[in-house]
Amino acid sequence: MSAPGGGRVDPDVRSRGHWSGRLGFVLAASGSAIGLGNIWKFPYMTGENGGSAFVLVYLACIAVVGLPVMMAEILLGRRAQRNPARAMATLAHEARASKHWRLVGIAGIVAGAIILSYYSVVAGWMLDYLVRASTGSFGNIGAQDATRAFDGLLADGLRLSLWHTLFMLMTMVVVARGVHRGLEAANRALMPALVAILVLLLGYGVVEGDMARAVSFMFDADFSKLTPGVILAAMGQAFFTLSIGMGAMMAYGSYLRRDVSIAQTACYVAAADTAFAILAGLAVFAIVFGHGMASAAGPGLVMHTLPIAFGNMPGGTVIGFLFFVLIVFAAWTSAISIAEPGVSWCAEQTRLTRAQASVVIGGIIWLVGIAVALSFNAWKDFRLFGLGLFDAFDYLASNVMLPLGGLMIVAFAGWVLSSAHAREELRCGDRLFALWRSTVRYVSPVVIVLIFLSLTGVMST
Ligand code: TRP
């Protein structure tokens, strides 16, 4: 086997597509990072975990763990030019390390299946609200009715399943078409439009909501609510929102051309993603406090609050409709990246074509997603680790599987991959390289392990 370096490329690598350039990659990677994690999950996690303590730990995790892991992941993907499982095996072979590193890729594919199964159900909520917004059903809605409307949706298993089915179809169609025609085209003009509506929502929050209280809730340092559980949740959120720890960025990196600086692009993506989450959080909490609603409402938080904003602002029917269209697009470009490692693995490791692999992998995830949709109603009493299926999946994937995957990725990039190879891929100055290398060797792994340990300490007392 030829080493995946220099100008030599083996045949199955040559047949894979590439992003058209740096912009194409930044758009695709931001499209992956920015999604329900920013607009839906970040606000509700912040509310549930006491506000500022969570936000500040989350920001710290992005800087010391998230960004270095993201660079490592893209780097490994680009160097190997293969799907995550094969990438780990190939690079391990190149470094004369154990071939079992492959398991990191496989575990990531499993984590992706778990995540997409419930991600698609939540995206289905957004599809439902897109229709409701467009028919003007949020007109002058109050806090109580908004809450009731969402409870009604959750109680309707068939409706949830149908929306989930539609969203899975949308996702798998794009994945089946492949990188260039499918993924990249879907990412182009949507992000700027989403920013514009987010700014509009912020404006509404300033005028009609309680923005001052939202700002102090999110940023006034108050560590009294800090517990090991909150810290773990913040780290999990950092992994989830950056799309790292399961090979999605590795898969995307594998379609990246060799001349692009990974250090720089990763910084852009992380910055855009973080800004998005903060803006969404501020908009949501301004509405929450302005209407005397509960900040700890859980996964339904944005479904309770946003209809109020759209129902009461001038032109709200149109703006609300556009907003949910854009959330669906943001979720779509993320979902595509969650499915990509599994599909590229299945297509490259079996005789199936990419389209057939999409049907197989998509079908499995769809089926699991149906169980998630029913866990809100018909199968409500089913418990996994004391949680409902939806919460259990989210906890397992975000707080356990992604950080563990990230730990293995930094361990590999810091200790197994040779320094020369890493430097060749990152393409940044000496100082920055030294900083990155020591971070992935010592800081990130130690932080991840400490956060896990702090939690077990709590569980045993
Ligand atoms: N980051 C996306 C969001 O915030 C979700 C996502 C896409 C993801 N790809 C991922 C999460 C890979 C974990 C792993 O909505």
Side-chain angles (χ1 to χ4, degrees):
M1 180 177 1
S2 73
R8 280 183 300 156
V9 201
D10 66 36
D12 60 309
V13 170
R14 217 180 307 130
S15 65
R16 308 172 94 234
H18 276 95
W19 308 112
S20 52
R22 184 169 88 188
L23 184 66
F25 178 75
V26 171
L27 283 174
S30 328
S32 163
I34 298 169
L36 297 174
N38 306 61
I39 298 163
W40 158 74
K41 197 175 171 192
F42 176 74
Y44 102 69
M45 293 292 283
T46 302
E48 236 176 17
N49 289 290
S52 63
F54 174 85
V55 175
L56 299 174
V57 176
Y58 157 83
L59 290 175
C61 284
I62 295 271
V64 299
V65 183
L67 192 55
V69 172
M70 181 186 269
M71 290 182 190
E73 207 177 312
I74 300 174
L75 181 164
L76 297 181
R78 180 167 74 181
R79 179 148 195 91
Q81 301 271 309
R82 286 167 172 81
N83 69 73
R86 276 273 307 284
M88 294 306 289
T90 309
L91 296 175
H93 179 82
E94 185 188 50
R96 298 182 199 290
S98 160
K99 63 173 189 291
H100 295 306
W101 281 101
R102 193 174 125 260
L103 294 177
V104 176
I106 304 280
I109 290 167
V110 175
I114 295 176
I115 294 174
L116 190 51
S117 72
Y118 67 84
Y119 200 85
S120 171
V121 172
V122 177
W125 302 350
M126 305 298 166
L127 282 168
D128 191 80
Y129 271 49
L130 184 164
V131 174
R132 291 190 200 205
S134 69
T135 55
S137 68
F138 297 146
N140 298 317
I141 200 170
Q144 240 177 16
D145 289 335
T147 312
R148 210 172 298 134
F150 183 60
D151 290 343
L153 173 62
L154 286 189
D156 192 342
L158 181 63
R159 202 177 170 109
L160 291 179
S161 301
L162 288 176
W163 286 126
H164 155 64
T165 305
L166 174 63
F167 187 78
M168 279 307 294
L169 282 173
M170 288 163 57
T171 302
M172 299 324 289
V173 164
V174 179
V175 175
R177 288 168 64 93
V179 192
H180 219 70
R181 283 182 306 162
L183 309 191
E184 193 171 336
N187 274 307
R188 288 262 156 174
L190 298 164
M191 292 295 142
L194 195 57
V195 177
I197 298 210
L198 215 49
V199 169
L200 217 76
L201 269 180
L202 277 175
Y204 176 83
V206 171
V207 178
E208 298 287 331
D210 191 342
M211 187 56 82
R213 206 160 144 213
V215 172
S216 93
F217 179 68
M218 282 179 64
F219 296 108
D220 279 355
D222 167 12
F223 291 108
S224 62
K225 304 225 174 62
L226 206 57
T227 63
V230 169
I231 299 177
L232 179 70
M235 175 168 74
Q237 174 64 14
F239 275 89
F240 187 92
T241 193
L242 292 179
S243 308
I244 51 179
M246 53 75 69
M249 285 296 167
M250 207 185 285
Y252 272 23
S254 75
Y255 307 118
L256 180 61
R257 289 181 192 285
R258 295 216 163 268
D259 50 359
V260 175
S261 156
I262 288 175
Q264 206 179 21
T265 41
C267 289
Y268 287 149
V269 174
D273 183 75
T274 307
F276 239 94
I278 300 289
L279 291 184
L282 286 173
V284 168
F285 286 114
I287 299 165
V288 167
F289 295 128
H291 287 82
M293 302 172 76
S295 57
L301 184 68
V302 298
M303 313 313 280
H304 299 159
T305 48
L306 296 180
I308 300 182
F310 296 129
N312 294 287
M313 67 168 72
T317 306
V318 177
I319 298 171
F321 168 71
L322 279 179
F323 184 79
F324 284 107
V325 169
L326 291 170
I327 291 199
V328 167
F329 271 110
W332 195 6
T333 54
S334 299
I336 290 163
S337 78
I338 307 176
E340 178 61 26
V343 170
S344 62
W345 170 75
C346 184
E348 288 170 23
Q349 304 304 113
T350 65
R351 291 167 164 276
L352 299 182
T353 63
R354 205 178 153 86
Q356 290 164 336
S358 304
V359 172
V360 172
I361 301 281
I364 296 171
I365 297 173
W366 172 78
L367 206 61
V368 180
I370 293 288
V372 174
L374 296 180
S375 77
F376 290 107
N377 35 74
W379 297 350
K380 214 174 184 148
D381 296 329
F382 177 78
R383 298 268 132 187
L384 199 63
F385 317 118
L387 297 167
L389 195 60
F390 177 79
D391 292 318
F393 273 8
D394 187 32
Y395 190 92
L396 177 69
S398 310
N399 295 0
V400 182
M401 296 186 82
L402 296 181
L404 277 181
L407 181 63
M408 301 315 280
I409 287 166
V410 280
F412 190 92
W415 296 96
V416 179
L417 192 72
S418 79
S419 175
H421 288 166
R423 182 188 297 254
E424 209 176 291
E425 298 294 332
L426 272 188
R427 286 175 199 263
C428 56
D430 289 348
R431 281 248 208 78
L432 190 62
F433 180 76
L435 178 67
W436 173 80
R437 184 82 171 174
S438 49
T439 308
V440 293
R441 285 194 144 193
Y442 307 104
V443 185
S444 313
V446 168
V447 169
I448 296 172
V449 169
L450 278 183
I451 291 178
F452 277 133
L453 286 182
S454 73
L455 199 76
T456 58
V458 148
M459 283 172 165
S460 61
T461 49

